[in-house]
Amino acid sequence: MMGGMPTQDHLSAGAQALASGDWNAAKESFEAARREVDSSESLDGLGRALWWLKDVRAAIETRTRAYGAYREETRNQEAAAVAVWLARELRILLRNDAAADGWLARAETLSKDVVDSSVPGWVALARAETTSDVFDAIADCESALGIARELNDPDLEIVSLARLGLFQVAQGAVDLGIALLDEAMAAASGGEAKDLQSVGEAYCALMEAAELLGDSERFAQWTSAIAELKGQHGLGPFDDLGSSTAYGNLSSFCG
């Protein structure tokens, strides 16, 4: 387009908007990029923005198209990352276990071909969410955490710590579980995450653990730290932290 912003500039603007939590700006940037070239990156970024804007079904549809585009480009690492995201969303949010199992199997297959990638860790984390055996889940989370630390992936580390902490609480190792959750929350509130979804997932695990223990005090103790982070980023469901509606909004988001 004559006089228009180049596609790469739209993609960069979209990525910056995602990182800062400006979901509407991200959506607009990736849509503008798609008008230029309907690329894997524009589809993937748009899907992420739609997820935060609570249009989950559109997000899944868009990122499914991004998966197809990555596969056409033989970019197996990116395709596997999208596949495992789809598996987790379909299972946790839409309760579609059959589709989730298929996407997880696809992610496992593709991740075998990638090197120096944290995707196998995300696969292990997704596998932990499929089993009814809490000890198998703990082993998978520990595997994911090991990969996260080996490859210095803060998002995988935060989510793995949080899920591992929740599973430890669930099986009765309360002190260990709380320590892991506190570490996850420290990393999340300290700005280590590159993807703000990791912050949300850590907070949701903390809330679930608090509900299991009937201990809302620890949940409350972390709200000030997350509220401060919320001041730097648009975290949607965290907007009412400190108000009487915060818990309900977060509960809806986590559900």
Side-chain angles (χ1 to χ4, degrees):
M1 290 177 58
M2 294 295 292
M5 183 183 293
T7 302
Q8 190 57 50
D9 289 347
H10 287 304
L11 292 173
S12 297
Q16 291 171 7
L18 282 180
S20 66
D22 190 343
W23 318 121
N24 283 305
K27 178 175 178 285
E28 291 171 4
S29 293
F30 288 119
E31 286 178 335
R34 285 189 63 203
R35 286 193 290 271
E36 297 282 348
V37 179
D38 198 19
S39 67
S40 51
E41 289 92 346
S42 62
L43 287 164
D44 202 0
L46 178 59
R48 291 174 185 270
L50 290 169
W51 186 88
W52 278 104
L53 291 169
K54 302 180 183 180
D55 195 347
V56 174
R57 291 186 183 276
I60 288 173
E61 178 185 352
T62 304
R63 294 202 77 186
T64 300
R65 292 181 60 198
Y67 165 85
Y70 283 133
R71 286 291 289 140
E72 286 182 8
E73 299 165 8
T74 62
R75 294 170 62 181
N76 283 353
Q77 179 172 319
E78 291 86 349
V82 173
V84 75
W85 182 90
L86 289 168
R88 297 185 72 222
E89 294 300 306
L90 287 163
R91 190 180 312 281
I92 296 170
L93 290 184
L94 300 186
R95 302 294 191 264
N96 188 337
D97 287 345
D101 287 344
W103 280 110
L104 181 55
R106 200 75 196 108
E108 288 183 300
T109 297
L110 293 174
S111 67
K112 293 175 183 176
D113 295 331
V114 301
V115 294
D116 296 328
S117 167
S118 59
V119 171
W122 289 104
V123 169
L125 190 67
R127 194 165 51 239
E129 296 163 348
T130 70
T131 179
S132 59
D133 187 318
V134 69
F135 294 103
D136 285 345
I138 286 170
D140 283 329
C141 285
E142 288 174 338
S143 175
L145 183 58
I147 292 170
R149 287 175 169 167
E150 179 183 354
L151 297 178
N152 193 28
D153 184 328
D155 293 299
L156 179 58
E157 183 178 16
I158 287 168
V159 180
S160 298
L161 280 168
R163 299 300 291 179
L164 181 57
L166 176 58
F167 285 130
Q168 292 286 11
V169 167
Q171 66 94 14
V174 174
D175 290 344
L176 174 59
I178 290 299
L180 291 164
L181 283 160
D182 282 346
E183 184 179 353
M185 292 303 298
S189 64
E192 292 186 34
K194 296 179 181 178
D195 183 346
L196 293 177
Q197 185 172 346
S198 304
V199 178
E201 290 203 37
Y203 212 114
C204 291
L206 175 68
M207 186 169 68
E208 191 171 345
E211 290 173 347
L212 285 173
L213 297 172
D215 176 15
S216 60
E217 179 60 27
R218 188 167 296 273
F219 175 86
Q221 287 175 353
W222 277 111
T223 30
S224 59
I226 295 295
E228 191 168 321
L229 182 69
K230 181 265 298 182
Q232 305 166 33
H233 303 289
L235 291 183
F238 303 141
D239 283 346
D240 293 319
L241 281 177
S243 77
S244 60
T245 61
Y247 193 90
N249 283 356
L250 275 167
S251 182
S252 174
F253 168 77
C254 294

